[in-house]
Amino acid sequence: MTVTIKLFAILRERANVSKMRIELPASATVAAAREALAERLPALRDHLPRVAWAVNRAYVPIETELHDGDELAVIPPVSGG
Amino acid sequence: MTVTIKLFAILRERANVSKMRIELPASATVAAAREALAERLPALRDHLPRVAWAVNRAYVPIETELHDGDELAVIPPVSGG
Amino acid sequence: MNIMSPNDWITLSPEPLDSAAAVAFVTDGRAGGIDVFLGTTRAETSHDGRALIALDYEAYEQMAGEQLRELARRARAQWPIVKLALLHRTGRVALGEPSVMIAVSTPHRADAFAACRWLIDMLKKDVAIWKKEVWADGSGTWVHPVVPSPGTPGEG
Amino acid sequence: MNIMSPNDWITLSPEPLDSAAAVAFVTDGRAGGIDVFLGTTRAETSHDGRALIALDYEAYEQMAGEQLRELARRARAQWPIVKLALLHRTGRVALGEPSVMIAVSTPHRADAFAACRWLIDMLKKDVAIWKKEVWADGSGTWVHPVVPSPGTPGEG
């Protein structure tokens, strides 16, 4: 299945990309996507243990199962306001 | 001694005066001024038990001694804001 | 009464209150948060169907001015206030216009909220200002007037 | 993102924030108190003497917009809010300009303070917006970035 990854702020700058697609096995979890991302974008490796995750614009726990077409956003600590 | 009395809001309207002078014996207290006022302005009688008092623009207790030239303000419950 | 020092703006005046001016006054490079409170008047209809159209504010101007300055001093003793504005109208205030406006800037937001809240609470509790409700038929009702109740023990 | 219903105004936009417009929006005959919070930026100098000149705000716009609407719903479930404005800038914000503005009107003032305070706290804690400090030499520092620290246990 295909999942769209969105990157923001320092992660977007480090990866030099804001949006990408990755292929994952059916029923892969956010944790599996994290591993795939760390492999594809080594520049993010140090950051990934410290981020939150959102699937289709809602925060989810790392063990959440993904579905084909999901938008998975990597959310570094927010600093709005 | 002479004390200037200031009246505000409902008291000013009831008495139909905002400022007046009263003569009091030396060392008279605010309580004595209250009695003198109740006599001079019977329209205020019902209100005087419920007001606060300020001498020279600061709240004081009713047993405070007055001095010649003091400005004694009768302060009905405030409702600013 | 209008006192504008570099850091405190305290006014008791019949002029309409300008929230943008208050915000501009308290904006400062040392502040991270600004809290602004505006007191407005709820539309109301009397039991016999008259609409409230305005409030008339009366102040013991000299005393109220001193009290507002003292509140500013006491707020500064409790919170690290960068700038503050403490503005109250006198005279007639149309419904929909604010009668009081308080703006406080502080390095961190919790202090701005706390100081602003304390200032409006103290202002309403102590400052020598009175409001009279003005009804569509021209009649007026003093708010929080002394309820005539002969024999009630006095508070002094 | 700009949503203006009769009672809620929620915006995520690069336009400067206008406090008078926010106050006018939440002013209502059913409200007795309005609280407004503005987040501003403290002037700062880096350890090597560069001045802070601006903040660059980036948002995950779709998610942040949904989060702001959800915060408005949750605030309304907790306090009797008449009207509210929840406004956040994106893009470059010059020092001295507010980056966020929240205005809430309620029948009684305690609720306006409480709701406004809760909204800014929740916004800062959860909403998908990030700021980058921009220094006089053109360099940038993400605020609250992920501190690289290999081996630190993840939060998921």
Side-chain angles (χ1 to χ4, degrees), chain A residues 6 8-10 12-13 46-47 49-54 57-59 62 71 73 75-81, chain D residues 57-58 60 62-63 66-67 88 99-100 124-127 129-132 142-146 149 152 154-156:
Chain A
K6 299 200 80 165
F8 298 95
I10 197 167
R12 176 182 54 71
E13 287 193 353
D46 290 347
H47 296 274
R50 302 283 196 101
V51 301
W53 301 85
R57 299 167 299 287
Y59 287 117
I62 190 114
E71 178 172 294
I75 310 281
V78 299
S79 54
Chain D
Y57 282 90
E58 175 172 340
Y60 179 8
Q62 270 188 295
M63 178 168 168
E66 290 177 20
Q67 289 179 297
H88 201 295
S99 48
V100 59
K124 288 176 89 95
K125 180 177 161 288
D126 276 343
V127 177
I129 303 174
W130 300 269
K131 66 163 77 75
K132 186 195 213 174
W142 286 102
V143 177
H144 298 167
V146 179
S149 166
T152 308
E155 292 167 18

Side-chain angles (χ1 to χ4, degrees), chain B residues 59 78 80, chain C residues 120-127, chain D residues 109:
Chain B
Y59 288 117
V78 299
Chain C
I120 183 62
D121 286 352
M122 294 302 288
L123 185 155
K124 288 176 88 95
K125 180 176 163 288
D126 275 343
V127 177
Chain D
R109 69 185 182 282

Side-chain angles (χ1 to χ4, degrees), chain D residues 100-124:
Chain D
V100 59
M101 197 177 288
I102 298 177
V104 178
S105 60
T106 60
H108 300 284
R109 69 185 182 282
D111 293 321
F113 280 105
C116 198
R117 177 69 199 271
W118 183 86
L119 283 164
I120 183 61
D121 286 352
M122 294 301 290
L123 184 155
K124 288 176 89 95

Side-chain angles (χ1 to χ4, degrees), chain D:
Chain D
M1 205 273 303
N2 184 36
I3 295 176
M4 203 192 264
S5 72
N7 297 322
D8 290 357
W9 177 18
I10 299 176
T11 288
L12 201 56
S13 125
E15 297 300 314
L17 301 174
D18 177 345
S19 62
V23 166
F25 180 81
V26 301
T27 295
D28 190 285
R30 294 165 293 173
I34 294 172
D35 195 47
V36 185
F37 176 78
L38 296 90
T40 56
T41 303
R42 284 184 296 283
E44 217 180 303
T45 305
S46 67
H47 59 91
D48 54 355
R50 295 165 301 153
L52 183 65
I53 57 166
L55 297 173
D56 277 345
Y57 282 90
E58 175 172 340
Y60 179 8
E61 295 231 7
Q62 270 188 295
M63 178 168 168
E66 290 177 20
Q67 289 179 297
L68 293 174
R69 290 200 296 281
E70 178 63 18
L71 288 182
R73 276 191 292 272
R74 290 176 62 193
R76 285 185 172 282
Q78 295 174 75
W79 296 281
I81 293 171
V82 178
K83 292 186 174 171
L84 69 82
L86 205 44
L87 318 172
H88 201 295
R89 286 188 66 176
T90 53
R92 182 152 298 195
V93 177
L95 237 63
E97 293 181 8
S99 48
V100 59
M101 197 177 288
I102 298 177
V104 178
S105 60
T106 60
H108 300 284
R109 69 185 182 282
D111 293 321
F113 280 105
C116 198
R117 177 69 199 271
W118 183 86
L119 283 164
I120 183 61
D121 286 352
M122 294 301 290
L123 184 155
K124 288 176 89 95
K125 180 177 161 288
D126 276 343
V127 177
I129 303 174
W130 300 269
K131 66 163 77 75
K132 186 195 213 174
E133 295 171 331
V134 182
W135 303 95
D137 65 354
S139 66
T141 319
W142 286 102
V143 177
H144 298 167
V146 179
V147 181
S149 166
T152 308
E155 292 167 18

